[in-house]
Amino acid sequence: MKQTLKKHERLKSYIRIRELFEKGEKFRAGSFLVYFISREVNSPELQMGVSVGSRYFKKAVDRNLLKRRTREAYRLQKQGLIEAVEKSKKGMDVFFVFVHQEMQQYEEVFKDMKQAIDQLIKKIEHGTSR
């Protein structure tokens, strides 16, 4: 299977992002604060978003680099999460907020993303998501 991250897989809707932060659940996984919410849909879909705050990274070039690293780590590891979402027959929105105060290399971001995805899969399988 091709490992891509297409436009329809990205969470862009202001309304859904706001709902995710207000009503969704969250947990910490390494460098990420992960927000997620399940929703009833006709066909299971998974959408994701990424944020890196300007509080610790004043330069946009640093924030953009961390967002690219995060999206790449997600793209390469998302298959297990997609399978869990399809098995649950629900849709899911996920938002990764980078909260570490220092720049991280790709390997560290990759490891933290694996931890976050594994925790999401466990929450889906155990039915703790809404």
Side-chain angles (χ1 to χ4, degrees):
M1 175 171 243
K2 277 181 114 175
Q3 295 177 322
T4 59
L5 188 61
K6 301 206 181 231
K7 188 174 182 176
H8 70 271
E9 294 179 88
R10 297 191 184 193
L11 185 58
K12 298 286 188 179
S13 168
Y14 174 76
I15 294 169
R16 288 192 26 199
I17 291 171
R18 203 165 105 202
E19 179 185 8
L20 173 64
F21 283 109
E22 289 175 358
K23 298 178 183 173
E25 299 177 49
K26 67 180 176 180
F27 64 90
R28 177 86 188 252
S31 302
F32 296 107
L33 188 57
V34 182
Y35 290 86
F36 68 100
I37 190 168
S38 292
R39 54 190 159 58
E40 298 295 329
V41 292
N42 295 334
S43 62
E45 67 173 357
L46 175 65
Q47 290 192 319
M48 66 86 68
V50 177
S51 175
V52 178
S54 60
R55 182 177 191 178
Y56 300 115
F57 301 99
K58 302 297 183 194
K59 296 180 181 176
V61 69
D62 293 336
R63 293 191 301 273
N64 292 339
L65 176 62
L66 284 169
K67 287 190 280 188
R68 279 196 308 273
R69 288 178 178 171
T70 301
R71 283 192 298 266
E72 179 67 6
Y74 173 80
R75 180 185 72 83
L76 293 174
Q77 301 179 68
K78 69 179 179 175
Q79 192 56 43
L81 184 57
I82 290 173
E83 291 169 2
V85 168
E86 288 175 351
K87 189 176 176 184
S88 73
K89 295 182 173 66
K90 292 185 178 183
M92 178 176 265
D93 295 335
V94 181
F95 209 90
F96 300 96
V97 180
F98 191 86
V99 293
H100 198 67
Q101 297 177 11
E102 299 169 1
M103 183 63 76
Q104 285 194 330
Q105 295 299 314
Y106 174 71
E107 292 78 19
E108 297 168 14
V109 174
F110 189 88
K111 177 181 61 84
D112 291 343
M113 181 59 69
K114 175 148 183 55
Q115 181 183 357
I117 289 175
D118 289 345
Q119 285 186 30
L120 278 169
I121 291 171
K122 282 182 188 173
K123 289 183 182 292
I124 292 169
E125 289 175 351
H126 297 315
T128 59
S129 60
R130 294 178 184 171

